[in-house]
Amino acid sequence: MKTIRDVTFDLLRAFDITTIFGNVGSTEETFLKNFPSDFRYILGLQEASVVGMADGFAQATRRPALVNVHTGAGLGNAMGTLLTAFQNKTPLIITAGQQTREMLLMEPWLTNIEPTVMPKPWVKWAYEPARAEDVPAAFMRAIATALQPPSGPVFLSLPLDDWEKPALGPAIIRSVATRTAPDPSRLAEFAEMLRQADAPALIYGASIARSQGWDEAIAFAEALGAPVWAAPACELPPFPEDHPLYVGGLPFAIGPLCQKLEGHDVALVVGAPVFRYYPYVEGSYLPQGLRLLHISDDPGETSRAPVGDSLIGDSKLSLAALAKLIEGHTPKPTAPRQRIEHRMAPHPPAPEEPCSDGRLTGGQVFAALQEVRPPHTVLVEESPSNLAALHKAWPITEPDTFYTFASGGLGWNLPASVGIALAERDSGRNRPVLAVIGDGSFQYSVQSIWTAAQFQLPLLIVVLCNAEYCILKSFSVLEQAPGVPGFDIPGLDIVSLARGYGCTAARVETVDAIRSEAVNAWKRNGPTVLEIPITKAVPPLI
């Protein structure tokens, strides 16, 4: 008779979930006992990094990923990147071991006291099966919940003594739909308003990329003849940044965003919240005379929007249907919009001023990397103070070639780049992966580079070193908060850290050295970390 473990692994095989990301603990060993030869275990040295790696892998493979962490202690470590995975809408199955059922009443050491409460609000569903026999069905429900729109992580707490018990039979395997079709009559209303508009605008968000809707987004924008903005703080680019209709990213604050939309009478937001704002800058949500329409597959986004008329629907399906509804439309002539030089970044770059000690600017670093990068390079970004300079130098012109975090919580992007690099190898695409990260951000999940070294992933990690939390200095200017401690982080030796985890590493200080080291890195098996000192330039937030 098959055990609970046997049946659960059979279920995972049916969904091609044969890679498990984890940091194993005592309460997980019974699940992983006699680990099947057709499965692969990706060890991370800390649970936050484990979740980040799984998130990057799931996004790049477009399949749910399984994560195994250690009871309540490991789940607690994982919460930072779990928050990001939830806002990224990444389908993850997070599992944690639980103490033996016979001891749960007395709450022994390493018990997850309230396992379904702890991961909230950053999971769609959390569950501890009432009996061992329910474990396979719980996995099936977890997979279905993670995949259904809006997709996202789920959590299962699994007592360690369940796995050897006999199963009731094979797991019931169900297929799950992952798209929501828009209401046709409501969509027709939206189409008519856009056709009648004198100066329509399109605001595209990351769900267009998640739904593989770039082609539909381009076709609809061209049929409507409307300028395209990227929604504030997109974690995935929704539109090619070299397209003639592309304008740039909207600002991250209420008043400035309203100003950017002046002159439009109808704006359609697709696949993004209305809107991501931070910091608070007062003003009207919309300019006078502008009507906002909103399409999202996430009812949470449509319900909390402070303005706009909403429609629930998949981005790709909605845009394709809208394009059919406006066939034959002749766009009205409008004044061309000036393209924002920093593209989808929500704020402009810091001034590019030469440094007396010869340090490079962020813009010089990015321009050098752009010159030598191979075609189809995948860019992963977590350097908030250099974000605008990066986007200015590096336009995103292909889908699935840029990733960042939806949450703003540091520590996700470095492990995510490891997961993305692993997915590139698994898929056979083998596109180069470049992670650009600040020296402060690098410390949040530095241990993830060990996994990249162990699996010999050809990943280039560029660490921009200004020895400070520069973006916080930007906030201190905006918030008029002088004298705040803790902004400076001197004494970090990035090269030694990277070598200690098994990576090739070098400190480079010239444009020529950057070009040379980058070219060599992309030829190498295994990760390369480049420490690059840059100027201390504080960017404006608005």
Side-chain angles (χ1 to χ4, degrees):
M1 182 176 291
K2 286 194 172 186
T3 64
I4 298 297
R5 185 194 304 105
D6 296 331
V7 172
T8 299
F9 275 101
D10 286 344
L11 173 70
L12 295 173
R13 288 185 184 96
F15 284 93
D16 198 21
I17 304 174
T18 57
T19 296
I20 300 177
F21 294 84
N23 181 265
V24 68
S26 56
T27 53
E28 291 69 50
E29 291 183 39
T30 52
F31 169 54
L32 302 170
K33 177 181 175 181
N34 298 321
F35 196 63
S37 60
D38 60 329
F39 277 67
R40 174 178 59 173
Y41 190 82
I42 307 296
L43 175 63
L45 301 184
Q46 205 266 4
E47 289 88 352
S49 290
V50 166
V51 172
M53 286 188 284
D55 189 338
F57 184 80
Q59 289 197 55
T61 59
R62 297 187 179 277
R63 295 200 311 271
L66 178 59
V67 182
N68 190 231
V69 300
H70 181 40
T71 188
L75 180 60
N77 288 337
M79 287 299 290
T81 44
L82 181 57
L83 176 155
T84 296
F86 181 84
Q87 296 193 30
N88 285 349
K89 300 184 179 177
T90 304
L92 297 181
I93 318 301
I94 312 289
T95 65
Q98 175 63 293
Q99 267 293 3
T100 310
R101 287 183 184 272
E102 281 78 3
M103 294 197 298
L104 285 179
L105 182 61
M106 66 184 80
E107 298 182 3
W109 203 41
L110 290 176
T111 300
N112 192 344
I113 305 299
E114 295 189 49
T116 62
V117 175
M118 187 174 183
K120 293 179 179 179
W122 306 122
V123 292
K124 292 179 65 181
W125 180 61
Y127 184 64
E128 183 174 276
R131 55 181 187 152
E133 292 82 357
D134 294 332
V135 169
F139 267 90
M140 182 64 249
R141 179 173 172 180
I143 293 168
T145 304
L147 284 171
Q148 290 175 146
S151 56
V154 295
F155 175 75
L156 292 176
S157 173
L158 303 166
L160 66 89
D161 56 323
D162 284 357
W163 299 105
E164 296 291 348
K165 294 178 180 177
L168 297 176
I172 296 174
I173 296 169
R174 301 182 291 113
S175 61
V176 180
T178 58
R179 294 189 186 275
T180 303
D183 172 50
S185 60
R186 181 75 156 171
L187 199 68
E189 293 174 11
F190 279 23
E192 185 60 23
M193 282 185 272
L194 290 164
R195 288 174 66 101
Q196 297 300 323
D198 291 320
L202 296 173
I203 302 166
Y204 284 164
S207 285
I208 291 175
R210 275 191 290 272
S211 69
Q212 297 180 281
W214 265 42
D215 289 345
E216 289 75 11
I218 294 167
F220 180 65
E222 291 175 349
L224 188 63
V228 175
W229 297 90
C234 271
E235 64 273 21
L236 298 170
F239 197 77
E241 296 185 338
D242 59 349
H243 193 283
L245 290 173
Y246 182 73
V247 181
L250 286 171
F252 217 10
I254 296 172
L257 188 153
C258 175
Q259 292 173 9
K260 288 292 185 184
L261 294 179
E262 288 179 354
H264 294 293
D265 55 349
V266 178
L268 172 67
V269 180
V270 182
V274 176
F275 286 108
R276 281 189 181 133
Y277 296 124
Y278 191 67
Y280 175 70
V281 179
E282 65 180 7
S284 300
Y285 289 117
L286 300 174
Q288 189 172 3
L290 174 64
R291 182 166 188 179
L292 189 76
L293 310 176
H294 183 205
I295 299 176
S296 173
D297 66 355
D298 183 352
E301 285 183 354
T302 60
S303 63
R304 69 174 176 264
V307 290
D309 301 313
S310 64
L311 169 62
I312 302 293
D314 175 85
S315 294
K316 181 184 177 82
L317 297 180
S318 298
L319 288 166
L322 281 170
K324 289 184 179 180
L325 289 169
I326 66 165
E327 282 181 355
H329 172 67
T330 301
K332 297 175 183 177
T334 57
R337 289 268 173 172
Q338 183 177 359
R339 180 171 296 196
I340 296 172
E341 66 171 8
H342 50 274
R343 299 186 173 91
M344 67 182 286
H347 58 75
E352 288 276 319
E353 297 177 356
C355 189
S356 58
D357 63 4
R359 290 189 174 214
L360 299 173
T361 65
Q364 289 174 304
V365 173
F366 303 139
L369 291 167
Q370 170 75 325
E371 285 177 27
V372 298
R373 60 118 170 188
H376 317 301
T377 296
V378 178
L379 179 62
V380 187
E381 174 276 322
E382 186 176 296
S383 181
S385 59
N386 296 290
L387 175 63
L390 175 60
H391 282 288
K392 181 179 178 181
W394 193 299
I396 309 302
T397 60
E398 300 175 72
D400 300 335
T401 57
F402 177 85
Y403 296 86
T404 192
F405 46 4
S407 67
L410 301 180
W412 178 86
N413 292 60
L414 186 59
S417 68
V418 177
I420 292 166
L422 183 64
E424 286 298 319
R425 175 184 288 175
D426 283 3
S427 67
R429 292 187 300 258
N430 293 312
R431 296 179 300 176
V433 179
L434 166 64
V436 173
I437 192 164
D439 49 355
S441 296
F442 187 71
Q443 310 310 315
Y444 281 72
S445 49
V446 62
Q447 64 284 120
S448 59
I449 63 176
W450 176 87
T451 304
Q454 292 299 304
F455 284 87
Q456 289 293 286
L457 298 174
L459 171 64
L460 173 57
I461 302 164
V462 170
V463 184
L464 304 169
C465 299
N466 53 17
E468 62 183 6
Y469 293 125
C470 184
I471 195 66
L472 294 182
K473 294 186 176 181
S474 298
F475 277 98
S476 71
V477 172
L478 183 73
E479 296 170 355
Q480 301 179 24
V484 177
F487 286 170
D488 298 312
I489 47 174
L492 293 172
D493 185 345
I494 303 298
V495 170
S496 294
L497 286 170
R499 288 175 178 167
Y501 282 108
C503 301
T504 300
R507 180 183 172 98
V508 291
E509 301 182 15
T510 67
V511 167
D512 287 341
I514 291 170
R515 294 191 191 107
S516 175
E517 290 288 350
V519 168
N520 290 334
W522 280 312
K523 296 176 181 177
R524 183 178 294 128
N525 286 327
T528 301
V529 177
L530 300 183
E531 175 185 344
I532 305 179
I534 63 168
T535 57
K536 296 176 180 287
V538 178
L541 287 179
I542 303 300

